[in-house]
Amino acid sequence: MTQNGWGQIALFCVIVLLLVRPLGGFLTRLYSGERTLLHPALAPVERGFYRLAGVRPEQDQSWLAYALAMLAFNLVGFLVVYAALRLQGALPLNPQGLAGLAPDLALNTAVSFVTNTNWQSYGGEATMSYGSQMWALTVQNFLSAATGMAVALAFVRGFARRSVQGVGNFWTDLTRSTLYVLLPACVVLALVYVALGVPQTLSSYVTAKTLEGADQTIALGPVASQLAIKMLGTNGGGFFNANSAHPFENPSALVNLIQMVSIFAIGAALTNVFGRIVGDERQGWAILGAMGALFLVGVGLVYWAEASGNPIHVALGLDPAGGAMEGKEVRFGVALSALFAVITTAASCGAVNAMHDSFSALGGLIPMINMQLGEVVIGGVGAGLYGVLLFAIVAVFVAGLMVGRTPEYVGKKIEAREVKLTMLALLCSPAATLIAVAVAAVSPLGLAGLQESGPHGFSEMLYATTSAAANNGSAFGGLTANSMFWNVTLAIGMMVGRFALIVPMLAVAGSLGGKKRLPPSSGAFPTDGGLFAGLLIGVILIVGGLTYFPALTLGPVADAFATAAGRTY
Amino acid sequence: MSEKSASLLDPALIGPALGAAFRKLDPRELIRNPVMFAVEVVALVATILFVRDLAFGLDAAFSGQLAAWLWLTVYFATFSEAVAEGRGKAQADALRRTRSETLAKRLVGDCGGYEEIAAPVLRGGDLVLVEPGDLIPGDGEVVEGVATVDESAITGESAPVIRESGGDRSAVTGGTKVLSDRIKVRITAAAGSSFLDRMIALVEGAERQKTPNEIALTILLAGLSLIFVLATVTIPSFAAYSGGAVPVIVLVALFVTLIPTTIGGLLSAIGIAGMNRLVRFNVLAMSGRAVEAAGDVDVLLLDKTGTITLGNRQASEFLPLEGVRASELADAAQLASLSDETPEGRSIVVLAKETYGLRGREMGPLEPCFIPFSAQTRMSGVDIGARRIRKGAADAVVAHVKALGGEVPAELAGIVERVARAGGTPLVVATDVRILGVVHLKDIVKGGIRERFGELRAMGIRTVMITGDNPMTAAAIAAEAGVDDFLAEATPEAKLALIRKEQEGGKLVAMCGDGTNDAPALAQADVGVAMQTGTVAAREAGNMVDLDSDPTKLIEIVRIGKQLLMTRGALTTFSIANDVAKYFAIVPAMFVALYPPLGALNVMGLSSPQSAILSAIIFNALIIVALVPLALKGVSYTPSSAAALLRRNLLIYGLGGLIAPFVGIKLVDLAVSAAGLA
């Protein structure tokens, strides 16, 4: 570990922290229906959309109407992507003449992009036409992110409102998220990426002569535009198979930094939005503090694990000073690869700039735990906030009684209905992950895709099912996932992990919104300080993490001890 | 309440509880507690495995021990509930005896004839005659007569109380005994739903409904159990991949240690014990919901008289007019009060004696003529010969002096005003036409009450004093007592409006009252404590009844409510935090055969995989028994802010819950391996 490495990690954290309040303020004004800087230019467009769709923007929906609108919208999105991918061969903007996708791969990919997962069972440059990348995948990158933000806002309103039935209007939230936040930011980011050397073209792939005289095909395409939303919307689906390890998708340390910051920017700012909307910014900071502590511990562990080198190599006499460089870009080195890996798994992004399969056992364990905790460390845009708020409800309920009052969070009593729905939501992800990996581990179809045997092979499967159910989308690598078994299994995991969680969660919002809001009192459970942040961390680790303890023990933990003992499989 | 804790392990209670706990193992009853039901199912599975091992001649020692400890886990849970119930049962039995033997004299016709029937046959609306020595056959209202009644069966208070028709003392309770005089009572509650019936049901816990928070907690625990089902049932597949197998009995053990058995086992005992704590405080909660609400209360409405101040005003100072010696004033005031048996009058005599050494004297030879206080004159006094001494309300005495042709000094108004402003009552004393001065009658704020309010404030509870006094007097007393706010010249309507206003702001309000005109406010309040001496209407409207009729208890009720919730939270936190250590005991034991390097996870250094698993299960069972006293007594509670409480309890039950099982399991392991059990 080097000072330079820690310096870069610190620089990243400072930039994200500086963005939290300004971005949080902007988002709060936007979602509260107030005017922002962008309104003079975009308000007429927004109104035009509403008129076109016949939406009354200020009309509140009940949680159920909100959930149905969200589901219907995503169903249509899924069908469009599925059709576009199946019919790719017949559609324009396909200079390489790539064929349509097989049904299972199209299903997996459509679910993946609709659920903001961006699991890729395919390699982008060999499978997807420019057209598919643009109108199928990039469009969903925007809309799935906007869906997450909308749902998070509905949830926050449940806490802030008093004795009302509505949780907001899905169409308004969706439109505002896309039009005022994601689109303008991505236009700017895409231009910056282009200026920094990321390709943006519709011309066909270039064939170059190498020094040895062989032909090499250099894949190109509209990369910058997809890269911008891939990060900002915590989607993570790479234009190229190598994702952000590809020199065209991540040409320099500066682009790498911008990418990392844009993964966290909206997620971190949403904690501030929560604080502002419930009327006490410190509530937001307490949550961000808990997230930040988990994040820093994760980064520290992965950095340490990767910088220590492989014990087997060290035993053979290799100098550990260089760290474990297998699977890492020399341009980024150990520190930035470790940082990127933790960011991308903490935030439900799934972009990678190094191959997680090649990480040390412990280095691969942390990204897995990040996802298994429900991606509540910053998390996906929107998803992270509502995920962590579900844990906050559990934390308040478990420990809140200890102050001698029935539990309440930011002035809302947590009662049987909320507990039931919250537990239901929290059950989804472990169920989807553990059942899928349990089936795969004893099924020849599941085992067929494995590259490694022993505990590392188990890690590959566990990582894949975890990534799907957590809607992360990053791949450990090593697992050949483009098979009927894995495409379908993971598609189910992605759907359960997304929608089976959102629906009960919206029901919680509806139930909370209908309650009175209690005024702050010194007798109430304090949720705006370090004590609560610590409690929240404990609950996230114990309730969220312990479920996976046996599985992790047989995967990365066994792997780590075996490697330390010099044993290979 | 510490003196009661000694009875926790009373053999007279433990004996029946041991048997009752067995009956509670009935799955039909246990299913109400999903966590313990799951343990019972799992214990059954373990027993079947044990029988299989026996039948096939396999090593059955391990599965046999595990099965036994799993059954013990369930039994300890039902035992804790049985102990909690047993403590109420003794009281209920005594109550029930009073009820069954009662005969009622039901009035027939208008001419006073009656028929004797058994009390349980009575219906609402029946008129009964109760004569000296009779037990009152049912709850009702006195419609005719006055009687002294011994209510010790219910209140435990041996001094008899007066019950009379009309007014605020007309309610009588079935099972209490009339000592003197005849009364006619209209029965208001049918048999089975009387106060006594409800009380029996309450203390027995027979009709115990789960409270809202208890239901929510049960759901949380069931949800956690489901998550751990997932964690456990997927293990065989993982193990198969890793080239091995995990015996079912081990999975069963892991599952039971992970699910929150500690809180699951003690949950109902905590609830019953909370109700019993109230009962021992002589407060009956009509529902568990009310006890929980007591913990949530934000605003306490407290009656001034009896709660904040001593019931009576006392003379605190003699304020003579210019030219009058203080001792002269004291002497006159004492003379005027000698035959005044009111507490105010007595306090004047005492003050004069203490400050000026004036002793009460024998006045027989002077042939004094005492003038009692009347509502018309608003004065009292004494005529000794021609000397007429009067004391009374300022305007009354002034009018009296003027009528006799006397002068009223200008400074009097100033003194009277000053006394009133200080929250006191000015009593003007005059001899014939001469006004001597003023006696300052003062509301005496109870000792220590200011500190109590300080504690309540720290707990985030606002206190509001309710008084019929004028705002000026009320403000002075409020300032002296340290309440946060006051409602002066309070009418029942104003009280109700205040409660509504606070509730609209999202606050929970507690109050106590006794009169019929308190009933609407009692019903509106989230916690309404009716006094046992109060009217039927008040008792029906409130959700608690205080048998001692002591309004100060409101503060204790809040405290008991909070303690109940805190105990639940503390044991939940403890239970969940325990899981970390249990994983570290069982997971390495389970997987070490698959990957020997995983032995490094055995951080407790447990002697063998079998011993590790057995130790975790034994610890898991024993911790329930170990925590029974805590569940019954409640966690210790010192009033302080929520932040301070949380810090303290998180440290004890959160961090403690994390660490304790590491130590505990290690100790059990040492014992298990020393005894050669595994």
Side-chain angles (χ1 to χ4, degrees):
Chain A
M1 290 191 275
T2 61
Q3 274 187 0
N4 182 313
W6 284 115
Q8 301 200 55
I9 292 169
L11 175 68
F12 164 79
C13 294
V14 168
I15 296 176
V16 170
L17 280 177
L18 288 177
L19 283 173
V20 167
R21 289 203 77 229
L23 197 50
F26 169 78
L27 291 172
T28 308
R29 279 194 298 283
L30 174 67
Y31 289 117
S32 311
E34 294 168 34
R35 288 183 71 78
T36 66
L37 270 179
L38 298 177
H39 269 75
L42 295 175
V45 184
E46 187 191 352
R47 280 197 299 275
F49 276 123
Y50 295 148
R51 211 162 299 142
L52 211 61
V55 168
R56 295 197 3 235
E58 304 306 332
Q59 188 181 36
D60 261 1
Q61 293 171 310
S62 71
W63 77 265
L64 189 61
Y66 199 101
L68 290 176
M70 183 275 301
L71 288 175
F73 180 75
N74 279 282
L75 178 66
V76 171
F78 163 79
L79 293 174
V80 167
V81 175
Y82 182 79
L85 296 181
R86 293 282 289 142
L87 302 173
Q88 176 174 270
L91 293 172
L93 284 182
N94 188 357
Q96 302 305 122
L98 296 165
L101 276 62
D104 60 320
L105 182 58
L107 166 85
N108 181 284
T109 307
V111 170
S112 168
F113 278 77
V114 167
T115 56
N116 196 251
T117 310
N118 294 29
W119 171 268
Q120 294 168 296
S121 285
Y122 61 89
E125 57 271 51
T127 319
M128 293 291 169
S129 71
Y130 292 165
S132 297
Q133 296 266 21
M134 287 161 66
W135 54 61
L137 305 187
T138 306
V139 167
Q140 276 308 318
N141 278 350
F142 278 95
L143 297 181
S144 64
T147 299
M149 293 165 78
V151 168
L153 252 296
F155 198 39
V156 171
R157 288 191 193 108
F159 284 105
R161 294 186 169 182
R162 43 196 90 189
S163 314
V164 293
Q165 293 307 313
V167 293
N169 184 306
F170 176 70
W171 308 112
T172 316
D173 290 340
L174 183 79
T175 309
R176 287 183 180 155
S177 303
T178 315
L179 191 62
Y180 290 92
V181 186
L182 298 175
L183 262 177
C186 285
V187 169
V188 175
L189 280 171
L191 292 174
V192 170
Y193 288 142
V194 170
L196 292 172
V198 178
Q200 178 76 11
T201 174
L202 293 178
S203 64
S204 55
Y205 297 170
V206 173
T207 307
K209 277 260 181 274
T210 65
L211 287 175
E212 293 94 34
D215 280 341
Q216 185 188 359
T217 306
I218 298 176
L220 293 171
V223 185
S225 57
Q226 192 179 324
L227 181 60
I229 186 63
K230 159 188 146 190
M231 296 305 180
L232 195 67
T234 61
N235 293 285
F239 193 91
F240 300 112
N241 192 27
N243 210 306
S244 283
H246 192 290
F248 283 173
E249 207 163 328
N250 195 354
S252 65
L254 181 57
V255 173
N256 191 57
L257 179 67
I258 298 173
Q259 292 194 17
M260 292 192 297
V261 170
S262 51
I263 295 176
F264 265 17
I266 294 179
L270 280 174
T271 60
N272 185 255
V273 173
F274 169 70
R276 284 175 194 258
I277 291 186
V278 301
D280 180 5
E281 278 191 67
R282 284 175 309 169
Q283 301 283 358
W285 288 115
I287 286 179
L288 190 61
M291 291 173 160
L294 285 168
F295 173 71
L296 287 178
V297 170
V299 171
L301 283 174
V302 176
Y303 188 18
W304 172 77
E306 296 309 304
S308 310
N310 185 326
I312 296 177
H313 292 176
V314 176
L316 291 173
L318 252 63
D319 180 10
M325 281 304 291
E326 184 200 301
K328 294 188 183 66
E329 269 285 313
V330 183
R331 295 176 296 142
F332 304 130
V334 172
L336 290 185
S337 300
L339 179 62
F340 201 107
V342 176
I343 294 171
T344 195
T345 50
S348 186
C349 179
V352 292
N353 79 347
M355 293 305 120
H356 295 179
D357 194 20
S358 300
F359 276 24
S360 67
L362 182 62
L365 171 74
I366 299 298
M368 245 187 273
I369 291 180
N370 270 337
M371 294 186 280
Q372 287 162 346
L373 295 181
E375 286 173 343
V376 294
V377 179
I378 307 299
V381 287
L385 182 65
Y386 60 67
V388 81
L389 288 178
L390 289 176
F391 276 113
I393 289 177
V394 175
V396 160
F397 190 82
V398 167
L401 283 171
M402 285 198 297
V403 304
R405 274 163 77 108
T406 55
E408 63 198 63
Y409 186 50
V410 292
K412 294 287 188 166
K413 286 241 178 267
I414 309 297
E415 292 167 299
R417 184 173 159 78
E418 290 77 47
V419 171
K420 186 170 20 174
L421 293 165
T422 301
M423 290 313 289
L424 195 64
L426 287 179
L427 208 61
C428 298
S429 200
T433 305
L434 290 173
I435 293 173
V437 77
V439 171
V442 290
S443 151
L445 294 171
L447 298 175
L450 287 188
Q451 180 179 308
E452 261 76 34
S453 59
H456 200 76
F458 188 75
S459 295
E460 289 173 354
M461 289 190 295
L462 181 61
Y463 194 104
T465 58
T466 300
S467 176
N471 295 146
N472 183 278
S474 71
F476 206 41
L479 176 73
T480 308
N482 189 10
S483 68
M484 179 68 101
F485 175 85
W486 281 109
N487 276 334
V488 173
T489 307
L490 296 178
I492 295 172
M494 290 186 276
M495 275 194 285
V496 171
R498 179 81 165 178
F499 300 114
L501 188 146
I502 287 183
V503 173
M505 199 267 315
L506 280 174
V508 173
S511 169
L512 288 175
K515 292 181 186 224
K516 278 193 247 176
R517 188 140 181 244
L518 312 177
S521 138
S522 66
F525 186 91
T527 55
D528 56 357
L531 196 61
F532 175 69
L535 171 69
L536 183 57
I537 290 173
V539 167
I540 290 173
L541 289 178
I542 291 182
V543 176
L546 281 189
T547 323
Y548 297 95
F549 196 92
L552 288 171
T553 306
L554 289 179
V557 175
D559 195 5
F561 283 117
T563 314
R567 179 139 186 231
T568 55
Y569 291 85
Chain B
M1 289 203 297
S2 55
E3 81 280 5
K4 304 261 169 76
S5 61
S7 67
L8 264 184
L9 297 173
D10 185 348
L13 291 179
I14 298 291
L18 289 171
F22 264 112
R23 288 191 291 280
K24 285 175 180 290
L25 291 177
D26 184 342
R28 283 167 301 182
E29 189 174 340
L30 205 59
I31 198 154
R32 290 181 61 206
N33 182 343
V35 175
M36 293 327 288
F37 182 74
V39 179
E40 186 169 48
V41 170
V42 158
L44 198 65
V45 172
T47 311
I48 294 169
L49 291 172
F50 166 62
V51 172
R52 181 204 64 180
D53 288 352
L54 273 184
F56 289 89
L58 304 168
D59 174 23
F62 182 59
S63 55
Q65 287 187 68
L66 275 184
W69 280 104
L70 290 176
W71 282 113
L72 275 176
T73 309
V74 192
Y75 181 74
F76 289 156
T78 55
F79 173 70
S80 74
E81 194 181 308
V83 170
E85 285 179 1
R87 305 172 85 200
K89 274 218 171 71
Q91 202 172 348
D93 288 342
L95 290 171
R96 197 174 279 126
R97 267 196 298 280
T98 66
R99 189 186 55 179
S100 52
E101 298 151 8
T102 313
L103 274 181
K105 297 171 179 165
R106 185 162 66 182
L107 291 164
V108 195
D110 297 332
C111 38
Y114 62 80
E115 54 176 358
E116 288 216 335
I117 59 167
V121 184
L122 282 175
R123 286 203 219 133
D126 283 351
L127 276 179
V128 295
L129 178 71
V130 193
E131 292 174 306
D134 287 353
L135 286 176
I136 297 174
D139 290 6
E141 200 166 0
V142 181
V143 291
E144 195 183 310
V146 185
T148 48
V149 179
D150 172 11
E151 295 196 338
S152 60
I154 305 234
T155 62
E157 175 62 54
S158 55
V161 293
I162 304 278
R163 294 290 173 217
E164 60 193 347
S165 61
D168 286 352
R169 291 192 292 185
S170 60
V172 288
T173 310
T176 56
K177 188 187 243 172
V178 171
L179 296 178
S180 72
D181 305 291
R182 292 155 51 112
I183 46 174
K184 283 185 189 166
V185 174
R186 176 178 290 117
I187 299 297
T188 51
S193 65
S194 73
F195 191 69
L196 201 61
D197 292 314
R198 271 188 286 171
M199 191 160 163
I200 291 170
L202 270 171
V203 293
E204 275 192 331
E207 279 176 38
R208 215 176 74 84
Q209 297 287 316
K210 280 190 181 159
T211 59
N213 174 260
E214 215 177 335
I215 292 171
L217 190 53
T218 307
I219 292 172
L220 179 90
L221 299 179
L224 286 175
S225 304
L226 264 182
I227 290 183
F228 289 122
V229 168
L230 276 176
T232 323
V233 298
T234 49
I235 287 176
S237 156
F238 303 164
Y241 169 89
S242 310
V246 176
V248 177
I249 190 87
V250 173
L251 291 176
V252 156
L254 176 67
F255 173 68
V256 169
T257 52
L258 290 183
I259 61 175
T261 46
T262 314
I263 178 66
L266 295 172
L267 189 55
S268 61
I270 295 171
I272 298 168
M275 293 286 262
N276 282 350
R277 265 200 297 284
L278 269 183
V279 170
R280 271 180 294 146
F281 241 96
N282 267 354
V283 174
L284 285 188
M286 294 307 157
S287 70
R289 186 188 290 262
V291 187
E292 264 169 24
D296 286 354
V297 159
D298 302 284
V299 182
L300 281 188
L301 303 189
L302 298 167
D303 281 328
K304 182 197 79 176
T305 306
T307 310
I308 295 170
T309 62
L310 295 172
N312 309 297
R313 295 164 184 228
Q314 292 187 355
S316 69
E317 205 180 349
F318 294 108
L319 302 163
L321 293 180
E322 211 170 318
V324 180
R325 275 177 299 113
S327 59
E328 189 184 352
L329 169 64
D331 182 58
Q334 193 185 42
L335 282 173
S337 307
L338 278 178
S339 73
D340 183 351
E341 281 302 313
T342 64
E344 285 87 353
R346 281 202 301 270
S347 77
I348 293 175
V349 175
V350 170
L351 184 70
K353 185 170 82 184
E354 283 175 354
T355 47
Y356 301 103
L358 301 171
R359 306 203 61 85
R361 55 219 105 168
E362 195 54 55
M363 295 204 297
L366 300 174
E367 290 179 13
C369 171
F370 291 105
I371 316 292
F373 178 86
S374 83
Q376 280 77 42
T377 61
R378 292 192 294 144
M379 286 188 304
S380 64
V382 64
D383 291 350
I384 305 168
R387 192 176 168 207
R388 282 172 291 182
I389 307 176
R390 292 289 180 276
K391 69 178 197 320
D395 49 348
V397 176
V398 165
H400 162 76
V401 168
K402 277 184 176 163
L404 293 176
E407 287 285 303
V408 177
E411 61 173 316
L412 180 69
I415 297 176
V416 167
E417 165 85 15
R418 212 167 63 233
V419 170
R421 203 174 279 285
T425 306
L427 213 56
V428 177
V429 181
T431 303
D432 299 324
V433 296
R434 186 165 160 243
I435 292 183
L436 300 174
V438 176
V439 180
H440 184 166
L441 284 184
K442 202 175 167 189
D443 265 316
I444 303 297
V445 171
K446 285 186 176 175
I449 200 90
R450 202 184 169 84
E451 289 69 35
R452 299 292 290 277
F453 292 148
E455 287 173 3
L456 287 171
R457 201 169 301 116
M459 286 151 59
I461 297 172
R462 221 159 56 85
T463 43
V464 180
M465 183 180 84
I466 308 288
T467 170
D469 292 343
N470 64 58
M472 203 165 63
T473 309
I477 297 169
E480 191 182 344
V483 292
D484 297 306
D485 204 349
F486 63 88
L487 180 67
E489 287 166 358
T491 58
E493 294 74 35
K495 227 164 157 178
L496 190 61
L498 177 68
I499 295 175
R500 290 229 170 96
K501 198 187 95 202
E502 296 285 358
Q503 286 174 334
E504 265 158 35
K507 299 203 162 128
L508 268 70
V509 183
M511 66 163 287
C512 51
D514 51 8
T516 300
N517 55 15
D518 282 331
L522 279 172
Q524 179 72 33
D526 300 280
V527 177
V529 182
M531 301 293 108
Q532 164 71 5
T533 54
T535 58
V536 173
R539 266 160 44 174
E540 293 291 324
N543 47 15
M544 292 193 191
V545 174
D546 177 12
L547 301 175
D548 298 340
S549 304
D550 170 10
T552 324
K553 279 215 197 133
L554 206 45
I555 299 171
E556 302 302 333
I557 291 170
V558 167
R559 192 190 169 93
I560 289 171
K562 283 198 178 295
Q563 204 187 16
L564 168 72
L565 293 171
M566 280 167 58
T567 308
R568 241 182 237 160
L571 290 182
T572 307
T573 307
F574 184 85
S575 190
I576 293 173
N578 269 231
D579 275 1
V580 177
K582 292 170 183 170
Y583 260 129
F584 274 99
I586 295 188
V587 166
M590 198 161 55
F591 292 148
V592 75
L594 304 177
Y595 299 112
L598 284 179
L601 282 181
N602 180 7
V603 290
M604 284 171 269
L606 305 177
S607 55
S608 74
Q610 287 208 337
S611 166
I613 293 163
L614 193 57
S615 303
I617 280 288
I618 293 177
F619 173 82
N620 196 53
L622 291 181
I623 196 75
I624 296 180
V625 186
L627 291 174
V628 167
L630 183 70
L632 296 187
K633 258 168 49 181
V635 301
S636 75
Y637 169 51
T638 40
S640 46
S641 73
L645 282 175
L646 181 64
R647 196 175 309 117
R648 174 180 173 277
N649 287 333
L650 262 187
L651 204 66
I652 299 176
Y653 301 101
L655 202 59
L658 218 51
I659 296 166
F662 278 102
V663 180
I665 292 175
K666 176 70 187 171
L667 290 176
V668 176
D669 174 70
L670 289 175
V672 163
S673 51
L677 295 176

